[in-house]
């Protein structure tokens, strides 16, 4: 056991850390660790992708790989802070559980299938167009114009930024959808 641990905490505080918030409270293992922020090749300023708060992040890169993500003190929005999700976003990049493929489970299917992105996008577009055409309403029973579909609804997520939400609202309103909502309001 190292000398750091064998010295009683109170004495360690007296040795220059009276509040016990720094070295006095540090384990010998922690003292040996080197932060990934210190060994990075470069730091890139970015914005947390999780929610519309848009907290500033510093992305630490080593050998062209993201090795750590920290709060950015220069951000006027978050001033260096990140919530637990934002603090864990390094795993968002590097987790071995991250899904890189499109997975599809067809109606009544019991297994996931893999699709290429182009096929998946075409399937979504085809279904959207077919549903819109099938459920389109020109007018109500008194002949008053409706020009809408109740067969399509949109639910935006809080990871969408202002510009994406603007485009979603604009595109789906133009397509005749009236049920347009965002997760942040629910
Ligand atoms: S998820 Fe957390 S860290 Fe990321 S932008 Fe939202 S509040 Fe900020």
């Amino acid at each position: 056991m190292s000398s750091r641990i064998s010295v009683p905490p109170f004495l360690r505080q007296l040795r220059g850390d009276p509040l016990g918030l720094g070295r006095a409270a540090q384990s010998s293992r922690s003292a040996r660790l080197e932060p990934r922020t210190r060994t990075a090749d470069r730091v890139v300023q970015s914005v947390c992708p999780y929610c519309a708060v848009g907290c500033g992040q510093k992305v630490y890169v080593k050998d062209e790989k993201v090795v750590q993500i920290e709060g950015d003190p220069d951000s006027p929005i978050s001033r260096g802070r990140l919530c637990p999700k934002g603090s864990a976003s390094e795993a968002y990049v590097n987790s071995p559980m991250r899904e890189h493929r499109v997975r599809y489970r067809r109606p009544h299917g019991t297994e996931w299938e893999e699709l290429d992105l182009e096929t998946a996008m075409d399937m979504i577009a085809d279904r959207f167009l077919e549903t819109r055409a099938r459920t389109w309403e020109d007018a109500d029973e008194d002949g008053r114009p409706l020009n809408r579909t109740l067969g399509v609804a949109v639910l935006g997520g809080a990871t969408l930024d202002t510009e994406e939400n603007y485009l979603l609202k604009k595109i789906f309103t133009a397509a005749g959808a009236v049920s347009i909502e965002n997760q942040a309001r629910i």
Side-chain angles (χ1 to χ4, degrees):
M1 186 176 286
S2 79
S3 60
R4 178 183 293 274
I5 290 300
S6 59
V7 177
F10 175 64
L11 291 180
R12 277 188 266 147
Q13 283 181 239
L14 289 181
R15 289 179 180 173
D17 185 12
L19 296 178
L21 297 173
R23 282 163 24 96
Q26 192 178 42
S27 72
S28 56
R29 181 177 177 279
S30 296
R32 287 196 303 273
L33 296 176
E34 185 169 31
R36 289 187 288 263
T37 52
R38 196 177 294 158
T39 54
D41 299 327
R42 59 193 170 95
V43 184
V44 181
Q45 283 185 301
S46 187
V47 177
C48 176
Y50 270 121
C51 91
V53 174
C55 297
Q57 291 186 323
K58 287 189 154 187
V59 181
Y60 292 81
V61 180
K62 185 173 177 54
D63 299 329
E64 294 307 307
K65 291 207 169 92
V66 173
V67 291
Q68 181 63 8
I69 296 177
E70 302 269 337
D72 184 357
D74 291 338
S75 166
I77 295 166
S78 50
R79 292 180 293 174
R81 302 175 183 90
L82 294 174
C83 80
K85 281 195 300 180
S87 302
S89 48
E90 180 269 338
Y92 197 43
V93 182
N94 292 325
S95 169
M97 296 175 70
R98 179 177 173 177
E99 194 59 77
H100 295 266
R101 298 150 302 176
V102 177
R103 308 297 296 275
Y104 173 63
R105 201 177 71 180
R106 63 182 63 247
H108 310 294
T110 56
E111 303 287 336
W112 290 100
E113 301 169 35
E114 282 181 21
L115 296 179
D116 63 87
L117 185 58
E118 201 169 320
T119 303
M121 294 298 280
D122 284 347
M123 288 168 68
I124 293 169
D126 288 346
R127 288 168 194 204
F128 174 78
L129 292 173
E130 188 277 321
T131 303
R132 180 175 179 272
R134 180 166 42 80
T135 59
W136 185 257
E137 298 173 88
D138 279 322
D140 66 12
E141 60 272 16
D142 297 321
R144 290 172 296 201
L146 291 173
N147 293 324
R148 71 180 186 191
T149 171
L150 298 181
V152 176
V154 183
L155 178 62
T159 51
L160 302 177
D161 58 33
T162 306
E163 292 78 11
E164 288 164 330
N165 279 306
Y166 169 80
L167 286 173
L168 268 182
K169 170 73 175 144
K170 193 164 186 169
I171 290 167
F172 282 95
T173 298
V178 291
S179 305
I180 301 173
E181 191 49 279
N182 186 282
Q183 173 228 322
R185 269 180 17 132
I186 294 177

